[in-house]
Amino acid sequence: MPGATAPFIEFDRFTKSFDAVTAVSEMSFELERGEFLAIVGPSGCGKSTLLMALAGLTQPSTGQVRVQGEPVLKPYTDLGFVFQGAELLPWRTALQNVLLQSEIRRAPRQEAERRARELLGQVGLGGFEDSYPDELSGGMQQRVALCRALLHDPQILVMDEPFGALDALTRDQIQIDLQRMWMERRKTVVFVTHSIDEAVFLADRVLVFSPRPARIAAEFRVPLERPRHLSARTGREFTDLVGEIRGVFENLGVLREEPK
Ligand SMILES: Nc1ncnc2c1ncn2[C@@H]1O[C@H](COP(=O)(O)OP(=O)(O)OP(=O)(O)O)[C@@H](O)[C@H]1O
C-alpha cells in the first residue's frame, strides 16, 4: 500500500513556472497527518501557487505533490479551501452557502443540513443561519466560509491568508476559534499568512519562504503548549520566536530599517 509509510503530504522538488517566471523552485517538505503548518513569505513568492498545487488545481512544472503517497493529479474531495475573501454567494443565506458543496456533490440533504447547522453553531453563528452575506460582518462571513470548507469533513484544510482582511480584534477571536476547532478535529492544516504573530500563535511549525522563486529560508517548531491563550503573545518564548522569524526576513532583505 503506497500510503502506509509515506508522509501524509509531501512536496517533492516542487517547481512551478509561468512562462518566464519561476514562482516556486525545487521545494521539498512534508507534513504529518494532523499537523498545523503555517507558511509566511513575502508577497508574490509563490505561496498561493503551492496551495493550488496541493489542491490539484494546478500541476507542477517539475517535481511532485503527493498525498498519502499518491501524486496529486487533479482536484479531490478530501480537502477544504478557505480564501482571503469569504467568496459567499450573495443571494444565498449563511446556511445555503455552507450547503453549496453538498448540493454540488448531491450529498443527502438532511444529514448535510444537520452538519451545517452544527458547524455554524460551533463558530458562534447559531441564529444567523438565515442571514444573507450582506447582513454579516467580515469576520462572520469568513466563519461561514470555514464551515463551507469543513462541511464534507475533509482531512486537509488549506487556508490562504484567510484572516488578512479582518480587523485586529475579530482576527484575535477567529484565531482562538480556529485553534479550538483544530484541536477538536485535528485536520491537517496548511495556513498561509503574512503575519508572523498569527503563524506562531496557530501553528505547530512555521516555514519561512524567500522572495520569488520561493525556497524554504528557515523552519521553526513552535513549542508553545495548547490551547494557546492570547496572553501567550506577550510571553518570552513567543516574542523570541517572532523576533527570530523577523530576523530571517531582515537577512533576506525583505524587511529593512532604512530605505533602499
Ligand atoms: N496563473 C498564473 N499565470 C502567470 N503567472 C502567475 C500565475 N499565478 C501566479 N503567477 C505568478 O507567480 C508568482 C507567485 O504568485 P502567488 O500568487 O503564488 O504568490 P503569493 O506568495 O501567494 O503572493 P501574495 O502573498 O501576494 O498573495 C507571482 O509572480 C505571480 O504573478
Side-chain angles (χ1 to χ4, degrees), residues 93-162:
T93 63
L95 180 69
Q96 289 167 343
N97 266 287
V98 176
L99 285 170
L100 189 66
Q101 289 277 349
S102 68
E103 288 170 21
I104 295 167
R105 293 167 207 264
R106 296 172 194 266
R109 170 79 191 197
Q110 230 180 352
E111 170 57 17
E113 186 168 331
R114 188 198 60 73
R115 216 180 125 64
R117 288 184 184 278
E118 182 184 286
L119 280 164
L120 286 165
Q122 285 169 357
V123 298
L125 288 180
F128 291 91
E129 293 86 351
D130 299 325
S131 300
Y132 287 89
D134 67 357
E135 298 168 327
L136 301 173
S137 69
M140 290 160 102
Q141 291 185 28
Q142 210 49 331
R143 287 164 197 270
V144 174
L146 179 60
C147 295
R148 182 182 55 193
L150 290 174
L151 184 72
H152 61 296
D153 203 22
Q155 292 195 71
I156 302 172
L157 181 62
V158 169
M159 305 183 82
D160 194 357
E161 265 199 86

Side-chain angles (χ1 to χ4, degrees), residues 18-19 21-23 41-50 160-161 192 194 212:
F18 300 98
D19 301 321
V21 174
T22 299
S43 198
C45 77
K47 303 180 294 298
S48 300
T49 302
L50 196 101
D160 194 357
E161 265 199 86
V192 162
H194 283 120
R212 200 188 72 224

Side-chain angles (χ1 to χ4, degrees), residues 12-34:
D12 181 7
R13 287 165 293 150
F14 170 75
T15 300
K16 182 72 186 181
S17 303
F18 300 98
D19 301 321
V21 174
T22 299
V24 184
S25 175
E26 297 268 324
M27 173 87 66
S28 294
F29 64 92
E30 297 173 0
L31 269 97
E32 286 171 27
R33 184 191 291 271

Side-chain angles (χ1 to χ4, degrees), residues 196-259:
I196 301 173
D197 283 54
E198 184 168 78
V200 172
F201 184 73
L202 286 171
D204 297 320
R205 190 157 55 106
V206 180
L207 295 183
V208 183
F209 281 10
S210 69
R212 200 188 72 224
R215 293 171 193 276
I216 298 173
E219 178 178 343
F220 296 89
R221 290 224 161 255
V222 183
L224 301 169
E225 271 180 24
R226 293 187 190 270
R228 296 173 187 162
H229 303 284
L230 291 175
S231 58
R233 291 188 187 156
T234 48
R236 181 71 191 269
E237 258 185 317
F238 189 95
T239 52
D240 281 359
L241 193 47
V242 168
E244 262 189 80
I245 296 175
R246 191 163 292 128
V248 174
F249 283 125
E250 282 166 3
N251 288 336
L252 288 169
V254 174
L255 286 173
R256 286 180 300 272
E257 296 284 349
E258 304 295 332

